[in-house]
Amino acid sequence: MGRWKPDARGRLEQAALELYGERGFEQATAKEIAERAGLTERTFFRHFADKREVLFPHANPLHESLVTALDTVPDAAAPIEAVAAALESACALFTERRELARQRQAVIAANTELQERELIKLASLASTLAEALRRRGVTDPAAILAAEVGIAAFKVAFGRWISEPGDQQDLSHLVRESLEELKAVIIGK
Amino acid sequence: MGRWKPDARGRLEQAALELYGERGFEQATAKEIAERAGLTERTFFRHFADKREVLFPHANPLHESLVTALDTVPDAAAPIEAVAAALESACALFTERRELARQRQAVIAANTELQERELIKLASLASTLAEALRRRGVTDPAAILAAEVGIAAFKVAFGRWISEPGDQQDLSHLVRESLEELKAVIIGK
DNA sequence: GTCTATAGTCCGATAGAC
DNA sequence: GTCTATCGGACTATAGAC
């Protein structure tokens, strides 16, 4: 056993999610979060660049998952199909965490600053995806557009998955559905 | 003549763009911006909720322009075509302001916090667009997707318009081009 | 771990326009 | 008198520097 209780970072994340949920993001101070986790304010800011960052995973497993999935899709697949396959396989990361995801999204939905951070994380995800597409030989306007459009479909699917009651629909199923709707919209049924 | 020089807000916007450009967003304080505009820090914060907001127009003409354009598109047009028409007509707002747009985008590109604010403004634009589509009778997943996809295409077009040298291409032409590329990507050529 | 600057808020004061 | 735009000072939390 070390001198400190293990997983300071995880305890801060947990405490922050609780406090932001209880009294709102702006009403919770970094000091309070740290205290609830048995640490000092200074330690909070050593782990997270700012108050918002504590809600967003550091080494985002979603990035890695998307890239490895994309790299295993057959070369013959069209860009949008490759993106679809990658998104669907990444859904596995969420299946056991629906309640946590709901809590997190509720906190984010209640505060504009947190929404800003969420959006830039999604934009970074789109960049990662576009970069992986370029490695497949997709040239630039198409790579960016396919990535952005894929993320847009994922956002819609995720929103539905979160808001539907209970544990009914599978996220990957909803993603497939959103992408179909997207096609219908673009082709102009 | 009043007691104060006119257009305090405009002077603050001008001073902010200059200072952010000269020494970067983080290195410029609200106090300095206010002083350059002949005002005090306190007045800066009465006009703008925070340091970032000074770069983003208050009553965004882009919102209005998109909505009125969308409302005049024939009912028969498919959602994506309506969005395309609205975006193209809104391009007129930028034609005389390419240099200003370049300056502004350079400042934003240099700072993450400003990118966050930019993204949430674009998200708000997409919401406005989706809402206008719903008024046309487009039902919800399609309305959101058409709006998001339209904004994605616009972003790509705007980026090209800014980065190309001189005053060659027309923005509305680049928007039409991006939307064509989008179609090609989705259909899976 | 302490110390500090900046962001951003709150309350009140002032001075002109109407 | 009311309304509106400015200024002044005190204050807290964030976040970075030492």
Side-chain angles (χ1 to χ4, degrees), chain B residues 130-144:
Chain B
E131 178 57 33
L133 284 172
R134 269 180 231 111
R135 279 199 302 274
R136 291 173 63 89
V138 183
T139 56
D140 210 355
I144 295 176

Side-chain angles (χ1 to χ4, degrees), chain B residues 17 20-21 55-57 62 94 97-112 114-115 117-119 121-122 154-163:
Chain B
L17 186 59
Y20 292 165
L55 286 177
F56 299 86
L62 195 48
F94 296 96
R97 294 175 159 72
R98 174 137 41 172
E99 258 325 302
L100 185 70
R102 269 199 256 263
Q103 241 187 299
R104 220 188 74 101
Q105 286 306 116
V107 167
I108 292 172
N111 181 273
T112 309
L114 292 174
Q115 288 161 41
R117 183 58 53 89
E118 170 94 325
L119 287 172
K121 296 288 181 185
L122 285 171
F154 185 82
K155 267 195 319 199
V156 167
F158 195 77
R160 280 197 211 156
W161 184 67
I162 291 294
S163 63

Side-chain angles (χ1 to χ4, degrees), chain A residues 27-127:
Chain A
Q27 278 62 49
T29 71
K31 189 157 175 266
E32 289 169 323
I33 295 165
E35 276 165 7
R36 183 174 289 209
L39 299 162
T40 68
E41 184 188 11
R42 184 71 186 77
T43 305
F44 179 95
F45 285 112
R46 202 148 10 81
H47 282 280
F48 305 101
D50 58 51
K51 257 182 82 180
R52 295 181 267 170
E53 199 64 18
V54 68
L55 286 177
F56 299 87
H58 192 221
N60 197 333
L62 195 49
H63 279 74
E64 294 169 46
S65 170
L66 282 177
V67 170
T68 55
L70 203 53
D71 288 345
T72 58
V73 174
D75 284 359
I80 190 68
E81 289 308 323
V83 169
L87 287 173
E88 283 182 76
S89 91
C91 289
L93 289 170
F94 296 96
T95 41
E96 300 290 321
R97 294 176 159 72
R98 172 137 42 170
E99 257 325 302
L100 185 70
R102 270 199 254 262
Q103 242 185 298
R104 220 188 73 101
Q105 286 307 114
V107 168
I108 292 172
N111 182 272
T112 310
E113 285 186 73
L114 293 174
Q115 288 161 39
E116 289 183 335
R117 183 58 52 89
E118 171 95 325
L119 287 172
I120 206 168
K121 295 289 181 183
L122 285 170
S124 150
L125 205 58
S127 294

